[in-house]
Amino acid sequence: MSKGLIHHIELYVSNLKTSTHFWGWFLEELGYSAFQKWESGQSWKKGETYIVFVQAEERFLDVTYHRCRVGLNHLAFYADSRQHVDDMTKKLKNKGIAILYKKQHPFAGGDDHYAVYFEDPDRIKVELVAPE
């Protein structure tokens, strides 16, 4: 039964090419597959859930995103294990993607919360968390 599960998430981005390059490899590492692609957007799907990235219109690009404003704070995904979090952390670093909360990593979310935090090109925080 799918009642209550997320059907899809749609994010408007400042630069579609940059965002899909960033998100594509990450989502595919988590088992998502490319789903739809059109001139101003692209999506990835896993099971019945998909994530869509759409190029924001030029007239809206003057307002920048900040996760502490009203709206989305971050997206969190499950990893397979702590080792998966560690492997993905290495991949993020190799891609030049800054790890957030370095001094507390991998326990920035608390002593029982093993995760890596980073930002997408529009500074949306992303979390990859190991199951307990």
Side-chain angles (χ1 to χ4, degrees):
M1 176 182 254
S2 58
K3 181 179 179 181
L5 296 179
I6 292 178
H7 184 269
H8 71 277
I9 297 168
E10 187 167 319
L11 300 172
Y12 276 61
V13 298
S14 64
N15 184 304
L16 182 63
K17 184 177 179 182
T18 301
S19 290
T20 55
H21 177 74
F22 173 90
W23 282 98
W25 78 271
F26 177 73
L27 291 172
E28 289 169 11
E29 287 276 343
L30 297 181
Y32 286 76
S33 299
F35 179 47
Q36 301 164 316
K37 186 173 183 177
W38 63 101
E39 185 178 333
S40 61
Q42 187 167 346
S43 66
W44 281 263
K45 186 173 185 176
K46 183 173 183 173
E48 296 302 313
T49 301
Y50 60 100
I51 301 175
V52 184
F53 302 90
V54 178
Q55 175 63 53
E57 293 179 29
E58 186 73 33
R59 63 189 171 126
F60 296 119
L61 292 178
D62 61 332
V63 179
T64 58
Y65 166 84
H66 195 285
R67 67 178 174 266
C68 292
R69 292 185 184 138
V70 173
L72 178 73
N73 178 269
H74 70 281
L75 294 173
F77 298 86
Y78 272 112
D80 284 333
S81 62
R82 287 184 173 199
Q83 185 61 53
H84 187 209
V85 170
D86 293 342
D87 293 345
M88 291 297 283
T89 300
K90 288 178 190 171
K91 289 179 182 184
L92 290 161
K93 288 179 180 178
N94 288 340
K95 290 181 170 290
I97 298 168
I99 304 304
L100 300 175
Y101 321 120
K102 286 183 197 178
K103 290 183 180 180
Q104 296 88 10
H105 175 77
F107 295 103
D111 292 341
D112 296 326
H113 193 78
Y114 198 93
V116 61
Y117 298 85
F118 53 100
E119 291 179 324
D120 89 338
D122 286 313
R123 302 204 58 209
I124 295 173
K125 184 168 64 173
V126 183
E127 175 182 357
L128 181 64
V129 60
E132 294 182 21

